[in-house]
Amino acid sequence: MKFWKLQGIGNDFIAIDGRNDHIDNNNYGDLAKKVCHRRFSVGADGLLVVKDNDEADVEMVYYNSDGSRASMCGNGLRCFAKFVYDNNIVNKDEFEVYTLDGIKKIKIDLNDNKDIKSITVNMGRGSFQSNNIPVDTDKEVFINEKIHILDKEFIVSSMLMGVPHTVVFVDDINMEEIHKYGPIIEKHEIFPQNTNVNFVKIIDNKNILVRTWERGCGYTLGCGTGMTASVIISNFLNKVDKSVNVTSEGGSIKISLINDEAYMSGKAQKICEGNLEV
């Protein structure tokens, strides 16, 4: 099976063309667990699969490294866009990708050599509604709410950005605390489908730092939907402007809020290609 490996701000993926493999969209879990294993295969945070779709130019099927299917992945979508564009699966620089979180609009920005300079994704509006995230609460929205984790009280805010995201504002990025509290917040009983956890430090109104404990794969160098959710929540709470540079351990992207929709701009890089023995 031919593959590419790509990365977006340190979030790495295996991409394959699944249009003619006759595998149902819901049956890539075992393959994802196998090929994403960092000891026994290529290794990645997730598996991207290209499928045909009648509603959009192409469909992205995404599975986490633990074999669970996810509705969306922001960094994955940029890598997916590069994969389908560079392989001439899509032959235009503006196109639509079907995901379980709806149809996402892509714009490829080219340099003078016609190589990809950056990729912009319309990430949509997201949702603050507790029942959409979901959060097990009688509150309509779950913003600036207290939860107790082990020996500490946290003020958290949650939203759905394709997948559930929870933001914790911190004065400093502390990796020990991220690894200690992140997995417990992820699986807290108030989140029936678990949640991604974003630890956010506000630098100023145009710059933030984000570290994400990702549902389904643990700590990651970058999470596009998490960085987007972090900006939306930060803006909602009047902590930042509508155009923000967001930096994770793996790199930076720009999130712009325009007419209540979020646009994510950043790079995607091909690491290698080859044949998978599966």
Side-chain angles (χ1 to χ4, degrees):
M1 178 181 290
K2 292 183 178 180
F3 79 95
W4 276 25
K5 182 171 180 176
L6 307 100
Q7 67 89 16
I9 58 172
N11 217 182
D12 59 342
F13 307 93
I14 293 169
I16 61 174
D17 186 350
R19 291 176 297 168
N20 299 307
D21 64 12
H22 306 296
I23 300 176
D24 181 84
N25 288 3
N26 294 316
N27 289 330
Y28 284 99
D30 288 341
L31 179 63
K33 285 192 289 186
K34 183 175 182 179
V35 301
C36 290
H37 198 290
R38 297 189 184 277
R39 299 300 184 194
F40 295 103
S41 190
V42 178
D45 290 325
L47 173 68
L48 307 168
V49 185
V50 181
K51 290 289 188 179
D52 289 321
N53 190 275
D54 294 334
E55 299 179 44
D57 295 292
V58 70
E59 178 176 350
M60 180 182 83
V61 176
Y62 178 67
Y63 278 78
N64 291 310
S65 59
D66 67 352
S68 62
R69 188 171 182 185
S71 300
M72 244 294 285
C73 175
N75 291 326
L77 188 51
R78 289 203 318 281
C79 290
F80 179 88
K82 178 175 174 63
F83 179 75
V84 298
Y85 184 83
D86 284 355
N87 283 285
N88 297 311
I89 297 171
V90 174
N91 295 301
K92 48 189 176 180
D93 57 14
E94 292 190 38
F95 55 94
E96 295 182 339
V97 178
Y98 180 90
T99 75
L100 289 182
D101 187 45
I103 294 173
K104 304 299 180 183
K105 294 182 179 180
I106 307 292
K107 185 178 187 302
I108 304 287
D109 298 309
L110 303 173
N111 61 24
D112 293 338
N113 296 324
K114 301 300 181 182
D115 295 322
I116 295 177
K117 181 170 61 176
S118 67
I119 299 168
T120 299
V121 180
N122 183 339
M123 299 289 284
R125 297 171 181 264
S127 174
F128 283 119
Q129 298 298 309
S130 295
N131 60 331
N132 290 336
I133 298 170
V135 182
D136 187 10
T137 177
D138 56 0
K139 298 179 183 294
E140 186 176 353
V141 297
F142 201 68
I143 300 292
N144 277 347
E145 297 293 338
K146 296 179 181 179
I147 60 172
H148 286 86
I149 304 295
L150 299 178
D151 56 346
K152 193 168 182 178
E153 182 178 83
F154 288 87
I155 305 296
V156 303
S157 299
S158 299
M159 71 174 296
L160 182 74
M161 196 68 224
V163 289
H165 276 283
T166 295
V167 166
V168 181
F169 292 102
V170 296
D171 294 328
D172 292 293
I173 299 295
N174 184 315
M175 294 306 300
E176 184 177 336
E177 290 201 348
I178 290 171
H179 283 271
K180 178 179 179 180
Y181 297 110
I184 301 177
I185 297 174
E186 173 199 354
K187 297 180 179 179
H188 192 283
E189 61 183 8
I190 202 169
F191 303 112
Q193 295 180 17
N194 297 341
T195 184
N196 297 278
V197 189
N198 306 280
F199 296 84
V200 178
K201 178 180 180 179
I202 305 292
I203 303 300
D204 55 41
N205 60 0
K206 294 186 180 298
N207 297 277
I208 66 174
L209 302 180
V210 177
R211 299 292 185 268
T212 301
W213 183 271
E214 193 166 340
R215 181 185 68 166
C217 67
Y219 178 73
T220 181
L221 295 180
C223 175
T225 53
M227 295 162 92
T228 304
S230 296
V231 171
I232 292 174
I233 290 174
S234 296
N235 178 261
F236 180 79
L237 295 172
N238 297 313
K239 295 178 182 290
V240 298
D241 291 340
K242 291 185 177 294
S243 183
V244 181
N245 298 309
V246 189
T247 301
S248 68
E249 187 175 346
S252 298
I253 59 175
K254 185 175 183 178
I255 304 295
S256 301
L257 306 180
I258 304 171
N259 297 325
D260 294 327
E261 294 191 322
Y263 292 80
M264 175 185 64
S265 299
K267 297 180 179 180
Q269 177 193 18
K270 177 185 177 184
I271 299 171
C272 65
E273 62 180 296
N275 288 296
L276 286 164
E277 298 291 335
V278 295

